[in-house]
Amino acid sequence: MKLKIIFFFCITFVFLSCNQEPKKTEKTKLVVGIVVDQMRYDYLTRFQDRYGENGFKRLLKNGFSLENAHYNYIPTYTAVGHSAIYTGTTPSEHGIIGNNWYDKFLKKSIYCVDDSEYTTVGNKSDEGKKSPKRLFTTTITDQLHLAQNMNGKTIGIAIKDRSSVLPAGHTANAAYWYSAGNFNNWITSSYYMEELPQWVTDFNNNNKADQYINAGWETLHDIDTYTKSRVDDNVFEGKFRGEQSPVFPKNLKELRIKNGNFSIIKTVPAGNTLTTDFAKAAIIGENLGKSDFTDFLAVSYSSTDYVGHKYGPASIEIEDTYLRLDKDLENFFNFLDQQVGNGNYTVFLTADHAAVHVPAYLQSLKIPAHYFSTKNFRNFLLGITKKYYKSSELIENVSNYQIFLNKEKIEALNLNLNDVAQKLADEVVHFDGIYKAVTARTMQTTHFSSGILNSLQNGYNQKLSGDVLMIPYPASLIRGRTGTSHGSGYSYDTHVPILFYGNGIKKGTSTKRYNITDIAPTIANLLSIEAPNSTNGIVIDEVLKK
């Protein structure tokens, strides 16, 4: 009898368990996408013991970290990176092939978000003539609006216009960026609105930038404790105009006179603090995270890029910038807890690209590194076309390691376009600095499944890209011998952090290889909405609770 009773209760328990609805996670009220411009993955590990507990470490300890995440295309530039993060695809599909590029239809170089159809809202400059029209695909921010029948709010914020406009997408309620020089205010485009909201006007009137600039830039801690970086005064770092050497402290109040007045805040950590302040004002001013719908705030920290370009990854300046950014993030996360509620928001943090160590510094350590001369290369190309085709008019433009051919001239000379392109590809690899070269026809007819040529192919857009595409040696830059840059498909440019935190996110880490294009479909899955319309990334199942 006892066995029958036990059996009955067991069957009943199993039956009830199988028929119980799974516990649903409350939907997130606010998604915050954070992009740190030019952040190498190793900034997480190199400075980890100096970070506080509630900035980067809060995401690392209580969120999910992808330790082997990369960009899977060339070129790794700001506009391209922000587009890839939010569209879940590469330049081959989304159409943003650079910050600037040569338009072979207009026969001129263009800027990624320029749009003369719109005007500046916020001041009398031309800096607001922008829109996302050159972005061919939808973004995760667009898809969230579509899924909610255009309810909920989407706002983009960054010092750089492209870093605000492209993530916010085509349907954004607003995208704001900082107009520096003598203007000193946050502006937008008539693409979004006809006048600034009162909260933006109020923020501009507070003039926090003056306060931050006049405070100067000293190291957060005793400068002798910055042992993970090079000595303060060295030949590998750039200087502000009027500065004798690139050392601390930096008297920004005096330096601003010769460095574009308010523009100087872009190139110091205070630019990130100003961005944080504005993001907080946006959340309050727009009541983000307070409605029945999910809102999306896309924030990009641009000053890290300006500092990196001037000083390089091994500088005290970059270390101090990240220690200060860590405090900005702590401030921001604590604010989100109070304003939106811990557990009501989801954050992802990543970078639009990383950066190479200063090549001159690498050379001083006997590590192979190079500086590429565009002038010498143009002369080299001219020699090729004169030698084989008796013409100096076959090349229309050379930019972003691409050659655009003059198709009209080639046709007039009864030459075959593909033959000319292949001859150039064969010859340019003899130039000191070019490591690989392929034609557009090769990109269209050959599939590269891995390696750097696969990255080149992912960045090739048949409609927009050039006729010959080239790859320089590793650790090559086109610039002076101080500071650094980016743009390649090598790991120093592609390896970036991807951190998820908050509502719907597990705790953990993964060493699996993931691509930057996996962020958008993962967020789409979290929100139970359709992914952007050209997404080719995958959903990262291991980060999601559901």
Side-chain angles (χ1 to χ4, degrees):
M1 183 66 181
K2 288 183 179 179
L3 286 175
K4 288 183 179 180
I5 294 172
I6 293 171
F7 178 76
F8 172 80
F9 278 111
C10 286
I11 291 296
T12 303
F13 176 78
V14 171
F15 176 81
L16 292 174
S17 297
C18 290
N19 283 275
Q20 280 183 339
E21 296 243 341
K23 187 176 180 180
K24 292 182 179 178
T25 304
E26 290 294 321
K27 78 172 184 178
T28 189
K29 294 288 187 179
L30 176 66
V31 179
V32 181
I34 299 174
V35 179
V36 183
D37 203 322
Q38 203 188 115
M39 184 176 181
R40 292 165 56 108
Y41 173 81
D42 63 0
Y43 293 162
L44 275 183
T45 55
R46 184 171 141 214
F47 308 137
Q48 188 168 0
D49 62 343
R50 308 205 75 188
Y51 290 143
E53 293 301 313
N54 294 303
F56 285 114
K57 281 186 180 178
R58 178 171 177 174
L59 305 187
L60 288 167
K61 290 182 177 180
N62 300 306
F64 203 101
S65 174
L66 306 181
E67 298 178 348
N68 190 26
H70 288 263
Y71 277 85
N72 58 334
Y73 63 79
I74 300 170
T76 44
Y77 295 142
T78 295
V80 196
H82 283 79
S83 299
I85 292 164
Y86 282 85
T87 64
T89 192
T90 60
S92 60
E93 307 300 329
H94 64 57
I96 302 297
I97 64 170
N99 294 332
N100 303 80
W101 66 88
Y102 181 72
D103 188 310
K104 53 192 177 185
F105 304 102
L106 299 176
K107 306 295 184 185
K108 66 176 184 179
S109 292
I110 60 172
Y111 178 60
C112 57
V113 293
D114 273 351
D115 193 338
S116 59
E117 291 187 18
Y118 299 97
T119 57
T120 305
V121 176
N123 64 29
K124 295 182 179 180
S125 73
D126 289 334
E127 297 173 31
K129 294 182 175 182
K130 313 295 178 188
S131 86
K133 73 173 183 180
R134 291 191 172 92
L135 185 65
F136 292 157
T137 67
T138 62
T139 59
I140 184 63
T141 43
D142 288 328
Q143 295 298 150
L144 180 58
H145 258 158
L146 289 170
Q148 300 183 125
N149 196 27
M150 301 308 294
N151 289 299
K153 292 182 179 179
T154 294
I155 294 175
I157 291 170
I159 281 179
K160 294 180 181 179
D161 49 27
R162 58 188 179 272
S163 305
S164 174
V165 170
L166 296 168
H170 303 275
T171 63
N173 299 89
Y176 299 103
W177 51 97
Y178 182 64
S179 177
N182 294 322
F183 287 107
N184 178 34
N185 54 4
W186 291 83
I187 63 171
T188 189
S189 163
S190 59
Y191 177 87
Y192 305 100
M193 64 190 72
E194 294 304 316
E195 61 181 8
L196 292 177
Q198 188 60 46
W199 69 264
V200 179
T201 301
D202 292 343
F203 186 93
N204 286 335
N205 289 338
N206 286 337
N207 192 17
K208 288 191 172 185
D210 240 351
Q211 172 190 336
Y212 291 144
I213 293 171
N214 292 338
W217 183 9
E218 297 185 19
T219 52
L220 188 62
H221 307 290
D222 185 332
I223 197 167
D224 291 334
T225 66
Y226 287 72
T227 58
K228 300 178 186 299
S229 304
R230 290 186 305 252
V231 294
D232 192 24
D233 191 2
N234 64 79
V235 298
F236 307 116
E237 299 176 7
K239 300 188 292 288
F240 286 112
R241 294 185 187 92
E243 197 175 33
Q244 296 301 310
S245 55
V247 296
F248 286 99
K250 301 180 191 295
N251 189 334
L252 304 180
K253 187 175 182 179
E254 290 184 3
L255 291 171
R256 68 188 295 178
I257 299 169
K258 294 183 178 180
N259 292 273
N261 197 5
F262 286 99
S263 295
I264 201 168
I265 200 170
K266 296 179 180 180
T267 55
V268 297
N272 295 326
T273 307
L274 183 67
T275 302
T276 304
D277 292 339
F278 191 73
K280 290 162 63 177
I283 291 171
I284 294 173
E286 298 292 344
N287 289 313
L288 299 184
K290 297 293 188 180
S291 75
D292 292 333
F293 301 96
T294 299
D295 299 318
F296 204 121
L297 180 65
V299 181
S300 183
Y301 287 105
S302 304
S303 293
T304 44
D305 185 66
Y306 290 105
V307 174
H309 278 298
K310 185 178 288 289
Y311 301 104
S315 63
I316 291 176
E317 284 82 357
I318 205 72
E319 182 174 350
D320 196 65
T321 294
Y322 277 87
L323 296 184
R324 291 179 177 276
L325 176 60
D326 183 59
K327 289 190 171 295
D328 288 327
L329 291 174
E330 177 180 354
N331 179 310
F332 191 36
F333 297 151
N334 289 340
F335 170 83
L336 287 170
D337 289 342
Q338 297 165 7
Q339 185 68 21
V340 183
N342 193 2
N344 290 331
Y345 63 90
T346 305
V347 171
F348 68 82
L349 183 148
T350 188
D352 56 346
H353 53 74
V356 67
H357 276 286
V358 179
Y361 172 59
L362 296 178
Q363 289 172 348
S364 74
L365 301 174
K366 299 181 180 179
I367 296 173
H370 312 269
Y371 288 97
F372 188 86
S373 170
T374 55
K375 180 181 178 180
N376 291 346
F377 184 62
R378 290 176 189 274
N379 290 335
F380 182 81
L381 286 176
L382 191 61
I384 294 173
T385 60
K386 284 183 176 179
K387 177 180 178 180
Y388 290 102
Y389 304 110
K390 305 294 189 291
S391 175
S392 58
E393 302 177 72
L394 301 188
I395 296 174
E396 200 165 80
N397 179 268
V398 182
S399 55
N400 294 334
Y401 288 107
Q402 296 183 40
I403 300 171
F404 294 81
L405 294 177
N406 185 331
K407 296 175 177 59
E408 290 82 6
K409 187 65 178 179
I410 288 173
E411 185 176 350
L413 294 175
N414 293 317
L415 297 172
N416 181 281
L417 176 67
N418 293 324
D419 291 343
V420 174
Q422 189 60 57
K423 173 57 72 174
L424 287 171
D426 292 340
E427 293 293 324
V428 295
V429 292
H430 299 302
F431 183 80
D432 186 23
I434 297 298
Y435 191 40
K436 298 177 187 293
V438 294
T439 66
R441 176 53 60 91
T442 299
M443 292 283 96
Q444 296 167 26
T445 59
T446 306
H447 175 64
F448 297 99
S449 59
S450 62
I452 201 163
L453 287 177
N454 171 257
S455 295
L456 188 67
Q457 192 161 48
N458 288 336
Y460 169 74
N461 186 289
Q462 184 177 359
K463 187 177 183 69
L464 304 176
S465 296
D467 301 290
V468 179
L469 297 88
M470 299 165 289
I471 298 174
Y473 286 119
S476 294
L477 289 185
I478 303 172
R479 62 176 294 128
R481 295 180 66 82
T482 61
T484 190
S485 195
H486 48 86
S488 80
Y490 297 112
S491 61
Y492 53 75
D493 277 339
T494 66
H495 189 198
V496 295
I498 298 181
L499 302 170
F500 295 92
Y501 169 83
N503 186 297
I505 304 299
K506 292 179 184 175
K507 296 181 184 180
T509 62
S510 176
T511 59
K512 293 179 184 177
R513 164 82 185 224
Y514 287 103
N515 294 324
I516 199 71
T517 50
D518 299 334
I519 293 175
T522 301
I523 294 296
N525 188 267
L526 172 71
L527 299 176
S528 298
I529 64 174
E530 188 66 28
N533 60 17
S534 288
T535 292
N536 49 28
I538 64 170
V539 175
I540 310 170
D541 290 326
E542 57 183 319
V543 313
L544 301 176
K545 284 183 178 178
K546 67 175 183 177

